[in-house]
Every structure is written in C-alpha cells, then in structure tokens.
Amino acid sequence: MAEQRNLKKEIDTKLHDEVLQDALSRFADQYPEARLRSYANVDSIEGLRDDLRDMKQWTVHHIEQVADEFEASVKARSGHFFRAKDGDEVKKYLLQICKEQNVKRIVKSKSMASEEIHLNEVFENAGLHVRETDLGEWMLAVADQKPSHMVMPAIHLNRKQCAGFFSHELKEEVPPDIPYMIQTARRVLREEFLSADMGITGANFGIAENGAIGLVTNEGNARLVTTLPRIHVVLIGYEKLIPKVEDAAKILRLLPRNGTCQRMTSYMTMVDGPTPVIHKVDGKWVEEERQQYVILLDNGRLDAAHDEKMNSVYQCVRCASCLNVCPIWTLVGGHVYGHIYSGGIGAILTGLLHNMDAFSQFSDLCIGCRRCTTVCPGKVPIPDLIDELRSRYVKEHGLALPEKAAFQKILANRKIFHTLLRLGSVAQKPVASKGFIRHLPLFFAGMTKGRSLPAIADVPFRDRYAELAKKNPRSSLKVAFFSGCNLDFVFPGTSVSVVKVLQDLGAEVLFPMEQSCCGKPVLGMGDRDTGRKIAKKNIEAFESCGADVIISACPTCAETLSHTYRELFRGDPVWEKRAEAFASKVREFTSFVAEKYEQQGRLQNVNGPHKTTYHDSCHMKRGLGIFEQPRALLATAKSTSFVEMKNPDKCCGMAGAFGIKYSEISLPMLTEKIQNIKATGADTVAVACPACMMQLRGGLDQQAPEIRVRHIADILAEDIES
C-alpha cells in the first residue's frame, strides 16, 4: 500500500510558493517557442516523430530478442551483464560488487532509474560514500529533496536557494552567483571524481548491435563518472534498448530539441565496453583494465512490454517535453504531480513500475487536454494510457461510494438523472440569478470564488424540441441531434440555435428523447462497465430514429460517441458492429456546417461589428483535429470580426468534474485564459464547447462582465434570423 497523500494540502502549498510559481510560469511561457526554434531547419517534425515511434514500436515487440543481443554484445566487449528483476536485486548485486571490489566511494550521474529504486539510501545505510555529480541532483541531495523534473531536476529552485544549499554543504559562504556556484561545484566535485572507486550512470539508450550506451548531457560529469573510477556501472531499463547504431540518430534528432530546446546537447557520449584506467598504487602510476557492469532493470518493464494496451509507454525517451507543456505540471510542479517520475507520463510509470495505489492518488490531475501528445517525440498517447490504468484500478478496487452512487444509480438511469436536474432547477432559485449562481453559503463558498457557476435552465431543450420540429423542412437528409447534458439542461438556447442552423441547411432534425449523457464523466473516472450501459442506451435511442448523420455541438460528446464507443465494444460479437455503425454517423457541429457552407458557397469573409476571438476546446482541436472550421465560420458570420488570442488552444481549466474537484488549479488556468482574451480587445469570445462556455462565462461574469461568451451555433443562428 502506498502512503496516503494529502494532495489538496500539497497543491495549496505549491500554489503559494512564489519561487516555484515564478520559475514554472517563466519556463512554461518560453518553452514552446524555444522548442520550435530548435526545429527551424527540420523539414518535417512529424516525420522524425514517426520514425522514432516506429523504431520503438518494433523494439518493444521484439524486446527479448533485442535484450539478448544487447547482453551478448556487452559480454563480447568484456563487460559484465546482469538482469535484475526488481530494485532489490539491483541493490543486492551492487552491494556484493562493492564488497568484492573494496569499493568505498561512489560517484553518480543523473539516473531516474536509480531514483526509482531508492539506490542511494542503500549505499548510505551500508556505510558507503555516495555523491551525486549532476549539479541539480547534488543540490537536491543536500536539501533532502527529490527531482521535480526528469531533465531539470531542480527547476523548482532559484539561485538564492541553491546558494543556501551550497553554503550549508560546504560550510562556507557561497554567493547567489551562477558562474561562481558552477566553478565551486567543479572544484569540489573534481575531488570526488578522482577519489571514487565506482561510477554509476544511467543511459539514454543502449544499442543491441554493439553493446554501447549513449549519454546525452549538458554537464561533463557523466563523462568523468564513466572514465575516472576503476569501475563503471550502467543501470538501464529495458525501454532504453534500441536495435542498431543508426537508430540512435532517431533519438538524438529529437531528445535534445524536446528536452532542452537544443539541436544537440553539450556532450554526446558513447561508451562501448570497459577502457583502460590509470591510477596510482603505492606512489606509482599503474594501467589496468577498467571493469564495466551493465544492469538491465525489469521492475515491471517486461510486463508492460507484453501488455497490448500499455506497451506504447516504451516510446517515451524521457525528454519530459510532456511536462513542459502540461498546464497542471506548470502550476504545481512534479513533487505534487508525480511520485518518482512526474506528470502524466509519471503517473503511468508509477502504475507500471511502482504500484497502482500510488498511481491512483494523483492520476486524476491529468486534465485530459492532450497537449502532451502534440510534442511527445515518441507519440505516446499519455491520456489514453492513464484512462486505461484508471479503468483497471476501478475494476480491481471499485469506485468510492459517492462516485458509485452518482454514476451507477443516477447517471446510468436517464429518468432519475433528468428528474433530479429538473428538481435542481427549482431548488437553485434562492441562489440563482440571470443564469448564474454567484454566491454559495458555508463551505460551498469556495466554488464561486473567481467565477460564477451556471444555473440549470428552467425549461430544458427536450421540452422545446416539439415546437422546433414543426418547422422541419421536408428533406432526404435526416440529422439526429445529440445534445448532451449541458446543451439540454444548462444551455438549451444554444441547442435551439443548433437546430435552426441545421434546418437552414435543409436538414430534417430529429431528437431521440431516450438519449442521455454521453458517459464521459463515468468513463473518465475509469468505470467502463457503467459507461457501456450508458453507451448501449444511447446507441439504441439513435438506431430507432434512422438518421443519416448524428450531430453533436459538444466536442467532448462527439469524441466520446465517435471514438470511445468504438473502443468500449471492441471484440464484442454483437455490440461492436452496432457501435461502429453508430459512431460512423457522428459529426461535430462546426465541421459539418463548414462543410455544407462550403458546398453551398456560403464561406465568405465578412467583417462584422463585434470584435470576436475564439477559444479552442481541447477535445475539439487535439481530440477531433478540428480547428480551422470554427474560424472559417466566424469569418463568415455577419456580426463578427475575428482576432486570434495568445495560446487559443491552452486549456481553460474546466474539464468536467476537474474544474470543481480541483477548483484551486482550475481558477489560475481560467484567469490566464481571461487575460489572453482581454488582451485582444475583443467584446466577444466564441466557443464550440458547452463546458468551455460554462467555464469562460463564469469567469468573465466575475472578472470581465463586459465580454460576452457565445457558442458558434448562436452566432450563426443570429445571422439566419437577421
């Protein structure tokens, strides 16, 4: 069992850590552009990513073969080789070597695998002197802290804090001057290198063809660790193995650019077997062969390699670019959003290499925005793997009682769910005003701090549809409208607009009354059994209406209906075909309308009176790949004059239940988005997602009430009526 964490308290501490907030905000702002600059002369970034992914996929499917060849190559070059099942075997093996070789002093270069198995503690408990030589790792060791980033372990510290750790360790006053601190570290650590008996490194890759390892670094410490001590130990995980020397280039073209925004790091070191070492014995210089020990660490890696759904984790090269663009990590850092490894990829590695209890304690910090997938050099589908592990955890342990009751007893039962929503529209009246809940009493007050909450509409869309249906044109094109919860019960006016726009296109619009929630809240929590029940009911509801197309004006629903439903019933002899037939008809509203407008010659640029900017929904842009069509429709609208905002596709912080559960994280994300909106000078922000509309309307109501938030359907419907 993992030690229970008070995640809320940890989050609050980090959000109020001014040093951390300053460091992470500056880094997050600078990284995306710096990364792109490093790719300035590259013809196709996607081509490089595809090459790396394909190579790593081949490797994981032949992992035993590659490992055997790597072992044979190491031994052929006089290296010792040991396969360790877990961290305990690594520790036992190394302590035995230290005893046999009379090792007293050890130097290490940065190795996350050694952090993973808590290697330093074992050496210290055995009375051995062990020193981290990476500058950041050294300071963290002195401060008794763990890395918060896989590439820049001490990114959460500033120069004053670093100088304090230097001064404490060296028992001398060290000023907060970076060149001085580096020179001091060089002076102190040089003695450590010269007196060490053993050097321990990790590896960025291990080449099966020749047994060489590669070390990609910006400090010279790794080279000194491999060349000065008489014993060199390599601790490498199975996922770092690659087949051929030429495959190293596929990593080297991406890892530095993504990790540190450099075309190449200061040092690229290849170590191919042991080399001679010269040292003094009784006052005389003696040359003898250095010894190399290569430890191939499993610790859950082989199980992951043979796991059909999880083996894509092998495509990770530990560049940490996923952290660098993650809106959650860049707010709270890796000590909160992590265990040993940080961020979304850290959650996955924690579940696979450590334990699922530790994974479950912070995995729901992944907001599912998929920004990580746009930069990952190996194209690891991080949010999908997190969802898979969540579902496995729920399958084994079940949901907590509140979620279980909410999902299995209410959300899965349309009649009960909709009845409760109707009752809620009445019960909210004492605190609701003009579509908003601006203040809540007692311990609920924090939920309305910095943003208003949406009120449930008095009359849901499903009660308005009959009147709209009377205006249906006679048409061969039958379009069924999937409203989802928000557009049915919170923003029914937008649903009316959707129908009007579709009818204006000449479509007959149908609305199956048996439809309910798409199931995303349930599926996001990992309860796939309940998710399948909900999916079956929705599929049945739409099968009965015989529509040609199923339209959703919520990208989260559209992605769930068209993508997730297919996966839910994969391998089911009956429901797989039904889910496929259903999903193949699903279209997102703006992409469908833009296509029809183009066919009808209606996509024309018009400069309207309202300066309008646009916020990309995460599910819309990165889930469905739709981002040009909404802008084309806004350019067509008579009332709008379009202007782009900064970071239009950065998450607004809603993400369904996340925005409520982690409101303290959601609100800074919302505030940043509002600042970017205000900077455009726009009086209107357009959206294509009701959840984003809910978040932005609530924030602007309190922070900038003069700016309107409108769904694109509402803007287009206004054109039709004018």
Side-chain angles (χ1 to χ4, degrees):
M1 290 291 290
E3 182 181 348
Q4 288 298 309
R5 299 171 58 180
N6 187 336
L7 201 59
K8 287 281 190 178
K9 184 177 180 181
E10 292 179 35
I11 290 169
D12 183 69
T13 298
K14 296 302 181 184
L15 289 175
H16 289 89
D17 184 336
E18 293 182 4
V19 172
L20 177 75
Q21 292 302 309
D22 179 61
L24 295 187
S25 63
R26 284 188 291 107
F27 178 71
D29 193 50
Q30 296 167 5
Y31 174 80
E33 187 176 336
R35 172 183 172 270
L36 288 178
R37 282 199 302 269
S38 72
Y39 282 102
N41 298 317
V42 173
D43 291 334
S44 172
I45 300 176
E46 290 307 302
L48 297 183
R49 295 174 74 202
D50 288 341
D51 286 346
L52 176 58
R53 177 201 59 199
D54 294 347
M55 181 270 289
K56 294 286 258 176
Q57 284 183 345
W58 186 93
T59 303
V60 75
H61 290 130
H62 300 82
I63 191 62
E64 277 87 1
Q65 171 190 331
V66 173
D68 289 344
E69 185 179 355
F70 182 60
E71 178 178 1
S73 297
V74 170
K75 289 180 176 178
R77 287 157 179 77
S78 303
H80 303 276
F81 196 91
F82 178 69
R83 299 197 191 204
K85 181 181 179 181
D86 54 29
D88 289 341
E89 287 195 357
V90 173
K91 297 166 189 174
K92 183 178 179 181
Y93 180 67
L94 284 176
L95 288 177
Q96 185 63 32
I97 293 171
C98 291
K99 182 178 180 181
E100 292 173 355
Q101 301 292 338
N102 194 32
V103 170
K104 302 297 183 184
R105 301 179 69 88
I106 300 167
V107 287
K108 293 174 69 253
S109 68
K110 185 163 67 68
S111 164
M112 288 304 298
S114 71
E115 293 279 355
E116 175 187 326
I117 62 174
H118 307 289
L119 184 58
N120 288 8
E121 296 174 14
V122 174
F123 286 141
E124 291 165 355
N125 292 338
L128 300 172
H129 176 84
V130 57
R131 174 74 74 190
E132 294 286 354
T133 62
D134 174 89
L135 197 56
E137 290 277 2
W138 178 30
M139 286 184 289
L140 292 179
V142 172
D144 194 26
Q145 296 182 16
K146 296 295 182 183
S148 63
H149 190 278
M150 287 181 277
V151 174
M152 296 165 280
I155 191 174
H156 57 286
L157 303 177
N158 66 12
R159 67 178 68 190
K160 290 183 180 179
Q161 291 172 315
C162 294
F165 295 138
F166 268 96
S167 300
H168 179 269
E169 174 70 3
L170 303 179
K171 304 296 188 294
E172 61 182 74
E173 187 64 31
V174 177
D177 177 75
I178 292 176
Y180 183 88
M181 286 189 282
I182 292 173
Q183 186 60 36
T184 301
R186 182 178 289 120
R187 169 175 57 84
V188 173
L189 290 175
R190 189 57 54 94
E191 293 301 318
E192 296 285 350
F193 292 125
L194 292 171
S195 61
D197 305 301
M198 174 185 284
I200 300 177
T201 69
N204 292 104
F205 52 83
I207 305 173
E209 183 178 27
N210 65 355
I213 65 157
L215 294 166
V216 183
T217 65
N218 273 318
E219 298 177 26
N221 63 307
R223 284 190 177 178
L224 294 172
V225 168
T226 65
T227 55
L228 287 180
R230 56 189 168 87
I231 298 171
H232 174 211
V233 174
V234 179
L235 181 59
I236 181 172
Y238 277 85
E239 78 281 10
K240 299 292 186 71
L241 300 183
I242 59 176
K244 303 290 183 183
V245 173
E246 64 193 48
D247 294 325
K250 296 172 183 175
I251 294 175
L252 294 173
R253 288 180 297 192
L254 287 157
L255 177 56
R257 287 181 164 103
N258 267 44
T260 54
C261 304
Q262 298 167 280
R263 281 184 263 184
M264 181 51 70
T265 50
S266 302
Y267 299 92
M268 203 289 106
T269 305
M270 302 279 277
V271 181
D272 178 8
T275 55
V277 60
I278 300 174
H279 62 101
K280 274 187 177 181
V281 177
D282 298 328
K284 296 181 180 180
W285 290 102
V286 177
E287 178 179 305
E288 58 184 44
E289 193 74 9
R290 176 182 285 100
Q291 295 188 59
Q292 183 191 57
Y293 294 85
V294 177
I295 302 173
L296 186 59
L297 177 62
D298 181 357
N299 207 36
R301 288 166 170 81
L302 284 178
D303 286 342
H306 298 298
D307 189 317
E308 181 182 327
K309 294 186 176 179
M310 300 304 301
N311 61 24
S312 57
V313 75
Y314 268 63
Q315 293 154 217
C316 173
V317 294
R318 304 294 194 271
C319 68
S321 58
C322 54
L323 308 185
N324 302 343
V325 300
C326 172
I328 308 304
W329 184 88
T330 52
L331 273 173
V332 299
H335 290 147
V336 171
Y337 193 9
H339 177 65
I340 301 299
Y341 299 96
S342 301
I345 191 66
I348 297 164
L349 294 171
T350 297
L352 295 176
L353 310 181
H354 191 69
N355 66 65
M356 289 293 287
D357 286 329
F359 160 84
S360 70
Q361 291 190 45
F362 70 96
S363 66
D364 61 351
L365 286 177
C366 174
I367 202 168
C369 71
R370 295 187 175 275
R371 209 169 180 217
C372 54
T373 65
T374 66
V375 298
C376 173
K379 294 193 170 183
V380 180
I382 293 173
D384 296 337
L385 300 187
I386 290 176
D387 281 347
E388 175 63 26
L389 288 178
R390 282 176 184 160
S391 71
R392 294 182 184 187
Y393 184 83
V394 169
K395 191 170 185 178
E396 182 177 350
H397 299 280
L399 289 169
L401 285 177
E403 286 90 349
K404 185 175 182 179
F407 293 158
Q408 298 176 6
K409 303 297 183 183
I410 298 174
L411 209 59
N413 188 315
R414 183 191 65 81
K415 291 182 179 179
I416 293 176
F417 179 43
H418 288 175
T419 298
L420 289 176
L421 287 172
R422 290 176 187 274
L423 290 173
S425 70
V426 177
Q428 72 185 1
K429 290 190 182 298
V431 292
S433 174
K434 297 181 180 179
F436 289 109
I437 298 172
R438 295 186 173 92
H439 303 286
L440 286 172
L442 304 174
F443 49 83
F444 294 110
M447 296 173 65
T448 52
K449 182 180 179 181
R451 67 178 173 194
S452 303
L453 297 177
I456 301 171
D458 292 337
V459 181
F461 170 74
R462 59 183 52 243
D463 292 355
R464 305 183 188 188
Y465 169 72
E467 188 63 30
L468 288 167
K470 295 176 183 178
K471 300 178 182 179
N472 264 335
R474 292 183 179 180
S475 175
S476 59
L477 178 62
K478 295 184 182 297
V479 175
F481 175 41
F482 184 93
S483 65
C485 310
N486 285 331
L487 290 181
D488 195 349
F489 286 88
V490 181
F491 303 118
T494 298
S495 288
V496 171
S497 296
V498 169
V499 173
K500 288 181 178 179
V501 172
L502 294 174
Q503 289 176 336
D504 180 64
L505 290 173
E508 179 183 353
V509 182
L510 311 173
F511 186 80
M513 290 294 172
E514 295 301 309
Q515 66 174 288
S516 186
C517 173
C518 68
K520 180 61 178 177
V522 178
L523 294 165
M525 291 292 290
D527 186 357
R528 290 188 179 174
D529 288 340
T530 304
R532 288 188 188 93
K533 292 177 183 177
I534 293 172
K536 286 179 180 179
K537 291 176 181 178
N538 280 324
I539 291 170
E540 288 172 340
F542 281 82
E543 283 176 338
S544 63
C545 73
D548 304 301
V549 180
I550 300 169
I551 292 293
S552 172
C554 169
T556 304
C557 292
E559 184 183 24
T560 302
L561 302 176
S562 62
H563 296 3
T564 311
Y565 277 21
R566 284 184 167 104
E567 293 298 321
L568 282 176
F569 298 106
R570 193 79 68 194
D572 187 307
V574 176
W575 281 95
E576 182 174 18
K577 290 182 179 179
R578 295 176 70 175
E580 176 64 35
F582 170 84
S584 65
K585 294 181 179 182
V586 175
R587 292 291 304 275
E588 186 278 326
F589 172 76
T590 64
S591 64
F592 178 79
V593 173
E595 179 184 295
K596 295 299 181 183
Y597 273 26
E598 186 172 23
Q599 292 170 359
Q600 298 175 8
R602 295 168 65 174
L603 282 184
Q604 299 176 0
N605 289 339
V606 179
N607 287 321
H610 292 290
K611 193 174 184 181
T612 302
T613 190
Y614 175 69
H615 163 69
D616 289 280
S617 151
C618 300
H619 287 280
M620 185 90 148
K621 183 173 182 181
R622 291 181 285 271
L624 298 173
I626 298 170
F627 54 95
E628 294 177 350
Q629 298 93 321
R631 289 168 170 81
L633 291 174
L634 288 173
T636 299
K638 299 173 186 176
S639 62
T640 63
S641 179
F642 179 68
V643 57
E644 197 76 81
M645 76 170 84
K646 179 183 178 182
N647 293 330
D649 62 347
K650 193 169 184 179
C651 184
C652 67
M654 188 60 205
F658 180 94
I660 302 300
K661 182 175 182 180
Y662 292 111
S663 60
E664 60 271 63
I665 300 176
S666 175
L667 286 174
M669 295 170 69
L670 172 61
T671 298
E672 179 185 350
K673 178 63 66 173
I674 289 175
Q675 289 170 348
N676 291 340
I677 292 169
K678 291 167 68 175
T680 66
D683 58 38
T684 303
V685 54
V687 296
C689 170
C692 296
M693 185 158 66
M694 182 186 300
Q695 176 83 331
L696 294 177
R697 283 183 79 231
L700 289 168
D701 180 61
Q702 293 199 17
Q703 299 182 43
E706 70 280 5
I707 300 176
R708 300 184 301 169
V709 182
R710 306 189 71 195
H711 195 286
I712 290 177
D714 295 317
I715 294 172
L716 297 178
E718 184 179 67
D719 271 10
I720 294 168
E721 294 167 354
S722 63

